[in-house]
Amino acid sequence: MIDIVVSGVLFDMDGTLVDSTAVVEATWTDFGHEHGVDPDEILAFSHGRQAIDTVRRFLPDLAADEQQRIVAALVARETAATDGILALPGAVMFVQRLAELGVPVALVTSAPRELAAGRMAAAGLDLPEAFVPSEDMERGKPHPEGYLRGAELLGVDPAHCVAFEDAPAGLESAVASGATTVVVGPLEAPVTVGLHRVSDYTGLSVERDGDAFRIRG
């Protein structure tokens, strides 16, 4: 249950607004098999992080240009794979309600611009004007730069924002930014202790509350 008053909303994408699990797991599993790395280890690390950070973690001895080539191939594959991409339950209606009320909204994702735009469209979600893809971050999650940048684009103090996240790296990023942080889904980890939680967006409501907005559910 949540009952919070905020002036802006910050969303992660994969696993938070969009269910892309099948595509992501297939891509990284093939990567693991190709390079002799346990796919389970890759998936445990990669969730919520930029692809380049995962490639550097598991193939640290490769030259930087070869790491970038691998990332480009991974991203191209994921961008082309839109079958099975779905919005989380209630996400479309919740995002539409935020737009109706004029709530400032930003998307902060570890995915690159083209991939994020394609996944949002495939899931039936509008891409907000305030958008922080991986290209716009010097330091990816778990560093707070992305969420700080998202709040800056909204013109809202991060402390007056709520961030919806599902992965450990993203949650660390959101918490460090100073935003009120909501765990989306079942993750249990040290970073989730004491945080707000929702299983999805079904039953969430948002109403104007003076100059701010109250989100309940």
Side-chain angles (χ1 to χ4, degrees), residues 168 171 186-193 197:
L171 289 163
L187 177 71
E188 296 286 353
V191 71
T192 68
V193 175
R197 181 186 297 273

Side-chain angles (χ1 to χ4, degrees), residues 187-202:
L187 177 71
E188 296 286 353
V191 71
T192 68
V193 175
L195 297 182
H196 300 281
R197 181 186 297 273
V198 295
S199 57
D200 54 42
Y201 302 92
T202 304

